[in-house]
Structures are given as C-alpha cells and as structure tokens.
Amino acid sequence: MALALTEKICNLLIENGIVSQEDLEKAKKTSLEKGENLSDMLIKMNMVTKNDLLTVLSEELGFPPIKLSLFHIDDATLKLIPKKITVTYQMLPVSQIGKQLTVAMVDPLNIFALDDLKTVTHLNINPVIAEESDMKEAISRYYEKSANEEINAIVSDIKSAQMEMVTEGRDELSSTDLLKITEEAPVVKLTNMVLGRAVKERASDVMVEPMEGDSRVRYRVDGVLFESYAPPKKFHQALVSRIKVMADLDIAERRKPQDGRFRIRIEGRNVDFRVSVVPSSLGEKVALRVLDKAQAMIDLDRLGFQDSDVEKMKEISALPHGMILVCGPTGCGKTTTLYSILKHIDDPGKNLITVEDPVEYELQGIGQVSINEEIGLTFAGCLRSILRQDPDIIMVGEIRDFDTIDVAIKSALTGHLVLSTLHTNTAAGSIVRMINMGVEPFLIAASVELVAAQRLLRKLCIACREAYTPDKETAERYGLFDEKGKIARIYRPKGCARCRNSGYSGRIGIVECMRLTPRVKELIFKQAQGREIEEAAMDEGMTNLRENGMKNVIAGRASLEDVLCSTIGSSEEEE
C-alpha cells in the first residue's frame, strides 16, 4: 500500500480495534530492521488488510475511496500531470472543475507529492484514495503502449528501412547485410524494447527462439516462463545479430555455440546481460540472463530465510577458516546467497577473492576472477594461483570435480574461509556427494562447517491472494496450525492485473542449515546414508526445507501447492 503512516493514523488503527499496540510496536521494529514501509509491513504480517487502511483514511480523515477501473479519464485531463510525476508518486488526475483538480493517490498523506503537484498544475488539489494495484493497472492502461502495438510499429519501421534486404523468399542474409541492419534505428529499437521489458518485468532470463513460422520471445519471471510476443520470422536474424554485436560475438558464425556478455543503461541504471547463443534446426536460439543489481537482494537479512538460519550463517561466516557450502538445483539462488555472505563479512582489513564462471555481479572492493577453460583457466588452476595472493576469504563459484574440491578443502584446512556451491538436493546429500567424488570422510569433517540447501518459492500476490482454511487431514499432515493450536487460515493464488493473472509476485528463499556437530561428524566418519545424517542434524536443531516452507504458508507468503512442488526431493517428501 506504501502509505506513510503517521502517529495519528497508527492511533486510529488502535482506537478502531484493527491492530493492538503490541502488534504495532512489533511491526514498527521489523519495518525499521528491514527498511520497509510500516503500512506494507503491517499487511505482510497479516495484522491489517488494505481495506482496513482504506476504511480508516476514508472515514476518519475525509479521503473518499475511488475505483479507477470504473472511470474513463480523458486525454486533456491526463496531460495535466506529466507521466514522470504520475509514476513516481503513484497518482492520476481524475477530473477538473474550474481550479479544482481531483487526483487519485495511493498515499494521499504525501505532502511532498501534493506540493509538487500544486506547483506543476497551478491548481487546487482534491486528493482521493486508490488501491495500489488499481493505480498500477490504470497507469499502465493510460500511459503505456501494449507490447504488440509497440512491436508492430517497430516491425513496420524495419520493413520500410530494409525492404530491399529483407524480402519474401530471402531468409538468409549475408554478414555484411546483417551488420548493416543491426546498426539501423528500428532494429536497435526492437532489441532495446526486448531488453527493457525484461528489466521492467523483473525477468531473470530472456529467450529469443526461432519457430517454424515466426520468432518467439519469452521471459522467465518468478521462475516461470511466459510468452510475450512473436516477431515475424524474417526479423529473427536481425534481432539475434544485434544481440551478438552488443556481446562482441561473431555474427558470421552460426554453426557453433557462443557465449558473451554486455552492459546497457536501462531506466537510469546499469544492467548486465549474460548471453548464450546456440544453433538449432530452425536457426540460432539466444538465452540472456538478466543481472540487475537493483533487483538482486544481496543481503542476508532480505533473502526471506528464517532468523535462526540467518544467525547460523552469520556465526559461521565469522570463523577465520573452514568451508561453507550452499547447495540446490540450478536457479535456486545459491550464488546470490554466497554474495550476501560475502557482503556481510566484507571488511577493508580482509582480502576477499572469488573464482566464478562467469562473474555474475561485480562487487566493489572484492577481487573477482572469471575462469576460461578454453585457455586452461579452470577452477582448480585459479584456486592454486590465488592462494599465492594471501587471501583471507575465497569464494569458488561451483565445485564440479575432485580437483576443485581437493584444493578447496586444503585451503579451508590451511587458514582460509572458503565459500562454494554444490549441486545436490539436500544438505545431507552434499556429504554423500563429496564422498562419492573421492573426498576422504575425515577431510570433510575437519574442513566443512556449514552446509545450506535452498530453494526459491514464489511469493503470493498480496493484491489478490485468496484466504481459505485447509481440511483437518491436510493440516495434520503438513503441520498447518497457528500459535494457538488451531488450523491456520492460509492463502492460495487467484490472479489479477498486477501479477499478470499468475497469483504470484516476486520470490523468497527457504533454506535448511546443517552444522557439522560432533554427532554429524561421527556419522560422516562411518559413511552413513544421507537420511541418517539428516535425522541427526534435525535432532540437533536443523529445520528442513519442507518445514521452513510450511512456515511461509502459515505466514501467508507462499501457497501450499508451491511449497510441495519446490521441496520435492527434500527430506519431508509425501508418504
């Protein structure tokens, strides 16, 4: 909701019995710790609803509510407020009568917005209050072209500019023609639109794929791919070639895979893109990984982990030597967790070096090395070299083979703190994996301090999530009870314009942190099965992935279905 809650509003919430003083103080403390707005925190903690806040503001402060979807605002009225101000302050002009301008606002208490608006319009402002989701949908409807309208206009420009080169029956263009096309404004605009929309949609990946009759652009948002639009097939080569030029790749080479990266400025900030081009039977397929620092949560306290797990990570990362492993499937946020740990322990008095394939985010003050296997620059080779740089802390992007883990363990045993990732499903499974790779059990017990397995859950869209009470059998099976022992009221996805009708918006992490206690080390010496190691770790305080996921379900952040799907393969699989 993003309201700047004043003491007066807080008192009104208490007086109306909507929230208790104790809950309000708890929300204030949490909002300060996490740097979030108090109103948003009250909603996240299920202490109030948006309707509660709207009711208090409407009845007590005289701000009438408005449903923007029921109104049609004419162009003359819209032009009274510049788009930049509209987006920045989340407001829309609704109607003008004489010197009175009625403006819908998400936060009608924002005096700075009201002052700026009065200065720009030279009118008296009459604020009314609108829901944030309703406002975003209205701004999008009135100010932004749809993707199809935008791409049709660009395609039309390309047709006009390149009619002689791109003609029916001439699908293959020469390298010279392609290079010339990539420098033309329409193709540049088309590429920038594809990349810009990726950043706007908070996509982690972009796929540009050749199809039988056309091209296809897809975005991965919150872990799920969705199709955006389909440019005509004849423009696929031009789009791919433009991306290859930006990534400094060979546009003439269409038979071999190529990898590269580039950086562009979008919405006032630098965004990196990692590029992979592979040939297919229908043409070249491009996959771009979006590396947007503004969207990346490189902060241990903001990853969504339980407080107890965050404290374990902070405690172990303060050790002068040893190894911390983060494991999980591809795309579960392992590297982000390692970066967050590095950021937490970064200090001018320490020498931090990373070895990655490739470097995803550039961290100021930290030496980062990107491996290149084509010239023999491997993880193991890099590790041996950087040990001569006298590092205090080393991050190895990924452990893939015995040579890498052998050097990493020896580094951990000789006074270095080593952070790395491993592809296993559970924390206990990583121990079994290392033994299978050829590492002696006594070396694992002597070097590894903490193993964390993680997943990413899709966050339920707060604007449209739907509450329900599960049946008794489901509640007992998954422990869905509140603090009073009653069956918890949980939420499921519904879908609205704000979340593209998916029911989800954003992602949060869940993790199981296994410390290598004396009992766990004893089982490692015996080369016990992963299940035995896991049971011992849980007896000594580890909360596994499924249990952590259920805590998010009870808190209203995640759906039961998504937690069950995301934790398949973890210890608490369905019987």
Side-chain angles (χ1 to χ4, degrees):
M1 184 104 189
L3 284 170
L5 292 186
T6 62
E7 285 299 321
K8 183 177 181 181
I9 304 299
C10 291
N11 291 335
L12 288 171
L13 289 172
I14 295 171
E15 289 172 10
N16 283 274
I18 295 172
V19 65
S20 67
Q21 182 69 50
E22 184 182 352
D23 285 344
L24 182 63
E25 293 302 322
K26 184 179 178 182
K28 282 183 178 180
K29 183 180 178 182
T30 308
S31 66
L32 286 173
E33 289 174 352
K34 296 187 177 294
E36 296 187 26
N37 193 283
L38 177 57
S39 62
D40 290 336
M41 187 54 63
L42 286 167
I43 293 171
K44 283 183 180 180
M45 296 174 76
N46 298 319
M47 294 178 180
V48 301
T49 65
K50 288 182 178 179
N51 285 334
D52 291 335
L53 293 175
L54 285 170
T55 300
V56 168
L57 288 170
S58 298
E59 294 182 1
E60 304 292 340
L61 301 179
F63 293 121
I66 187 173
K67 189 71 175 174
L68 290 170
S69 58
L70 302 178
F71 281 78
H72 174 72
I73 305 171
D74 59 69
D75 292 339
T77 303
L78 288 171
K79 289 177 182 178
L80 291 173
I81 303 179
K83 178 184 175 182
K84 187 175 182 180
I85 293 180
T86 298
V87 174
T88 302
Y89 291 128
Q90 292 291 282
M91 59 170 63
L92 265 180
V94 178
S95 64
Q96 180 189 3
I97 301 176
K99 286 289 184 179
Q100 294 290 326
L101 178 63
T102 299
V103 179
M105 302 177 67
V106 170
D107 184 1
L109 299 176
N110 190 333
I111 57 174
F112 299 106
L114 292 171
D115 287 343
D116 286 352
L117 198 53
K118 193 170 183 178
T119 302
V120 170
T121 61
H122 304 291
L123 297 171
N124 296 320
I125 307 303
N126 177 35
V128 294
I129 188 168
E131 275 196 21
E132 186 178 11
S133 58
D134 194 24
M135 178 65 71
K136 286 179 182 276
E137 184 181 353
I139 289 175
S140 177
R141 183 169 71 250
Y142 287 116
Y143 287 100
E144 297 176 9
K145 288 182 178 180
S146 70
N148 287 332
E149 288 176 335
E150 203 169 350
I151 198 167
N152 287 339
I154 295 171
V155 166
S156 178
D157 288 343
I158 296 176
K159 285 181 178 178
S160 300
Q162 302 298 336
M163 188 60 71
E164 292 182 2
M165 282 189 252
V166 185
T167 58
E168 293 293 339
R170 187 185 173 193
D171 294 329
E172 293 294 327
L173 301 175
S174 68
S175 299
T176 304
D177 288 345
L178 277 174
L179 187 58
K180 185 175 180 181
I181 290 175
T182 61
E183 295 171 351
E184 293 288 341
V187 174
V188 172
K189 190 175 180 181
L190 174 62
T191 309
N192 290 344
M193 189 203 74
V194 170
L195 302 178
R197 195 163 292 274
V199 174
K200 181 182 175 183
E201 297 281 358
R202 300 177 297 101
S204 60
D205 300 272
V206 186
M207 306 289 176
V208 181
E209 304 160 304
M211 305 297 287
E212 189 69 41
D214 52 28
S215 183
R216 180 172 69 175
V217 177
R218 292 191 293 170
Y219 297 113
R220 188 183 300 278
V221 179
D222 299 335
V224 178
L225 278 169
F226 75 93
E227 190 170 345
S228 180
Y229 40 80
K233 180 68 175 285
K234 65 177 71 176
F235 304 116
H236 180 78
Q237 272 186 273
L239 180 57
V240 171
S241 296
R242 175 61 188 170
I243 294 171
K244 289 167 77 172
V245 167
M246 295 172 73
D248 199 22
L249 302 178
D250 184 0
I251 65 170
E253 180 55 74
R254 304 174 198 168
R255 300 167 300 170
K256 297 180 181 178
Q258 297 187 69
D259 296 308
R261 66 185 299 151
F262 61 87
R263 173 182 294 175
I264 59 174
R265 194 162 184 82
I266 299 176
E267 296 185 354
R269 64 182 186 270
N270 291 326
V271 180
D272 292 326
F273 290 84
R274 198 171 72 202
V275 183
S276 172
V277 184
V278 296
S280 72
S281 59
L282 297 174
E284 290 180 295
K285 176 180 177 179
V286 180
L288 299 104
R289 171 62 56 89
V290 185
L291 305 173
D292 185 1
K293 287 183 182 178
Q295 296 293 341
M297 293 186 295
I298 306 177
D299 186 337
L300 275 175
D301 294 314
R302 296 180 58 207
L303 296 178
F305 299 158
Q306 299 296 321
D307 292 341
S308 58
D309 292 320
V310 172
E311 287 305 313
K312 282 182 187 178
M313 289 184 174
K314 289 181 177 179
E315 182 183 343
I316 297 299
S317 64
L319 296 175
H321 56 79
M323 181 181 285
I324 298 174
L325 288 173
V326 180
C327 55
T330 300
C332 72
K334 298 186 295 295
T335 303
T336 299
T337 299
L338 290 185
Y339 279 154
S340 299
I341 295 174
L342 282 178
K343 184 180 177 182
H344 172 70
I345 59 182
D346 186 19
D347 185 280
K350 295 178 181 177
N351 183 12
L352 281 69
I353 301 179
T354 74
V355 183
E356 305 171 63
D357 180 26
V359 172
E360 290 200 8
Y361 295 102
E362 293 178 3
L363 302 176
Q364 190 172 358
I366 297 176
Q368 295 175 270
V369 181
S370 183
I371 73 164
N372 187 342
E373 294 187 351
E374 291 183 2
I375 61 172
L377 193 63
T378 62
F379 277 117
C382 276
L383 270 174
R384 294 188 184 95
S385 297
I386 65 175
L387 286 173
R388 302 188 189 100
Q389 299 274 325
D390 191 26
D392 297 296
I393 300 162
I394 304 168
M395 187 190 102
V396 184
E398 183 183 346
I399 289 176
R400 300 173 179 171
D401 50 45
F402 175 77
D403 288 340
T404 304
I405 197 169
D406 183 52
V407 179
I409 285 177
K410 288 175 180 175
S411 301
L413 291 171
T414 54
H416 305 88
L417 181 64
V418 180
L419 316 176
S420 191
T421 67
L422 199 62
H423 283 279
T424 57
N425 286 327
T426 63
S430 65
I431 303 298
V432 177
R433 171 76 188 280
M434 285 188 282
I435 293 175
N436 290 339
M437 290 172 72
V439 182
E440 294 292 341
F442 76 90
L443 288 176
I444 297 173
S447 60
V448 179
E449 297 290 342
L450 178 76
V451 182
Q454 72 177 67
R455 300 288 190 277
L456 287 178
L457 299 177
R458 291 183 290 169
K459 286 176 65 176
L460 283 166
C461 176
I462 296 178
C464 67
R465 63 181 182 175
E466 188 176 65
Y468 73 102
T469 302
D471 58 65
K472 186 177 180 181
E473 182 183 350
T474 301
E476 289 178 347
R477 186 174 190 179
Y478 300 116
L480 301 175
F481 297 96
D482 59 23
E483 295 175 354
K484 297 178 181 179
K486 296 181 179 180
I487 296 177
R489 190 169 174 79
I490 62 177
Y491 294 84
R492 57 190 165 208
K494 184 178 181 182
C496 64
R498 181 178 174 182
C499 60
R500 300 180 316 280
N501 293 314
S502 68
Y504 298 95
S505 179
R507 291 201 284 181
I508 51 174
I510 55 172
V511 69
E512 59 181 27
C513 288
M514 184 180 77
R515 296 190 66 165
L516 268 66
T517 61
R519 183 181 170 189
V520 171
K521 289 181 179 181
E522 184 181 346
L523 290 172
I524 293 173
F525 283 129
K526 295 178 181 179
Q527 297 191 34
Q529 295 295 315
R531 183 70 185 186
E532 294 179 67
I533 296 172
E534 188 169 292
E535 288 175 352
M538 290 178 67
D539 288 342
E540 300 195 355
M542 182 184 84
T543 304
N544 64 25
L545 286 167
R546 178 64 60 83
E547 290 174 342
N548 273 325
M550 292 306 162
K551 288 180 181 179
N552 280 284
V553 171
I554 294 171
R557 290 187 289 267
S559 69
L560 176 61
E561 295 77 14
D562 194 47
V563 169
L564 295 178
C565 289
S566 299
T567 56
I568 288 175
S570 67
S571 57
E572 292 292 315
E573 286 187 300
E574 298 179 59
E575 298 174 2

